[in-house]
Amino acid sequence: MDPHPSFRGRRALVTGAGKGIGRAVAVALSKAGARVTALSRTAADLESLVRECPGIEPLCLDLADWDATEAAVGAAGPFELLVNNAAVAVLQPFLEVTRAALQRSLDVNFGAVLHVSQIVARQMIAQGVPGAIVNVSSQASQRALRDHAVYCSTKSALDMLSKVMAMELGPHKIRVNTVNPTVVMTDMGRINWSDPQKSAAMINRIPLGKFAEVDDVVNSILFLLSDKSAMTTGSSLMVDGGFLVS
């Protein structure tokens, strides 16, 4: 039995698809029958992704460039599925936050999601097709973390943006949800959290006693994209092992 029959032949755009969660989502959607466009600003990552999964269409683009995004995403569509995964995390103590870090984070973590979603949703509406959008947020949207003033704030803004999108796009049969992971064991995650002394403080606050694996997040995204969640919109799916209830 095909676990995701609704993806067969459907067109999907995944941003931040060069590494980690975005890359895994792009591969999973392609294997489930979707026609996937993978967006990244790093050409080498896209080249290796296409070698791994030849059916994926690469799109090399810096989402902070508003005009380039408008042209490239508009030309690549239309899409029925969208995963806004691209993000940056510039960690600085509150008193040391720089204007450059703030602007870059706002441009990518919030502005790019709004802009790409506008482009894709307008295409969905023009085509008269239902759609699903999943925005990759974080447990940091709902819990203050040291040195994460900008990151926490942009992810909180993303959660609220997603709710407003769900409200306004719902009449057009477009669903919008977020996934909110804890620390995820991507290649970068393993490097950053391999020190037991560093990881212990966080893991001790997670009732399940472990960080998330990439597949934990991918499976949640696929669920929210699929018709199996046809009555779910405006929701945040926590993939945090219980962190927020601890």
Side-chain angles (χ1 to χ4, degrees):
M1 180 183 295
D2 187 341
H4 300 291
S6 62
F7 298 149
R8 192 170 302 282
R10 301 188 75 182
R11 296 212 57 199
L13 173 64
V14 182
T15 73
K19 295 183 177 71
I21 294 167
R23 186 185 184 103
V25 169
V27 171
L29 281 170
S30 182
K31 290 181 176 178
R35 294 174 55 199
V36 178
T37 296
L39 189 156
S40 172
R41 66 185 181 126
T42 306
D45 289 342
L46 290 174
E47 290 167 4
S48 67
L49 174 59
V50 172
R51 286 195 298 271
E52 176 187 349
C53 197
I56 291 177
E57 300 173 15
L59 180 59
C60 192
L61 180 67
D62 185 346
L63 292 173
D65 187 329
W66 196 271
D67 292 335
T69 297
E70 185 82 34
V73 174
F79 301 101
E80 301 155 79
L81 308 170
L82 170 62
V83 180
N84 284 304
N85 172 72
V88 296
V90 183
L91 306 187
Q92 298 170 323
F94 167 72
L95 292 176
E96 299 175 18
V97 170
T98 63
R99 181 176 182 180
L102 173 62
Q103 192 60 58
R104 179 66 180 171
S105 299
L106 287 170
D107 284 347
V108 178
N109 296 1
F110 183 79
V113 175
L114 185 151
H115 191 211
V116 171
S117 297
Q118 283 181 326
I119 299 166
V120 172
R122 286 170 182 153
Q123 293 175 335
M124 292 175 182
I125 294 168
Q127 296 286 320
V129 298
I133 299 173
V134 176
N135 297 327
V136 180
S137 185
S138 169
Q139 67 181 16
S141 72
Q142 301 189 32
R143 184 69 61 87
L145 301 173
R146 187 175 299 278
D147 299 336
H148 285 63
V150 172
Y151 186 78
C152 287
S153 298
T154 56
K155 290 300 187 179
S156 291
L158 176 59
D159 283 3
M160 184 52 68
L161 171 65
S162 302
K163 293 179 186 300
V164 175
M165 288 169 58
M167 180 176 65
E168 295 192 12
L169 297 177
H172 300 287
K173 310 305 180 191
I174 300 171
R175 298 184 299 106
V176 185
N177 296 285
T178 69
V179 292
N180 297 60
T182 184
V183 173
V184 183
M185 290 290 94
T186 60
D187 291 342
M188 186 62 69
R190 293 187 190 281
I191 293 171
N192 290 337
W193 293 90
S194 60
D195 182 352
Q197 289 188 324
K198 177 181 178 181
S199 62
M202 179 67 78
I203 289 178
N204 288 340
R205 297 170 65 185
I206 299 175
L208 291 184
K210 60 181 181 179
F211 293 139
E213 297 295 334
V214 172
D215 282 350
D216 296 326
V217 185
V218 171
N219 289 335
S220 296
I221 292 172
L222 295 183
F223 167 70
L224 290 173
L225 290 174
S226 78
D227 294 338
K228 297 178 187 295
S229 63
M231 198 58 185
T232 302
T233 195
S235 295
S236 294
L237 178 54
M238 299 298 153
V239 190
D240 68 348
F243 176 83
L244 290 179
V245 301
S246 65

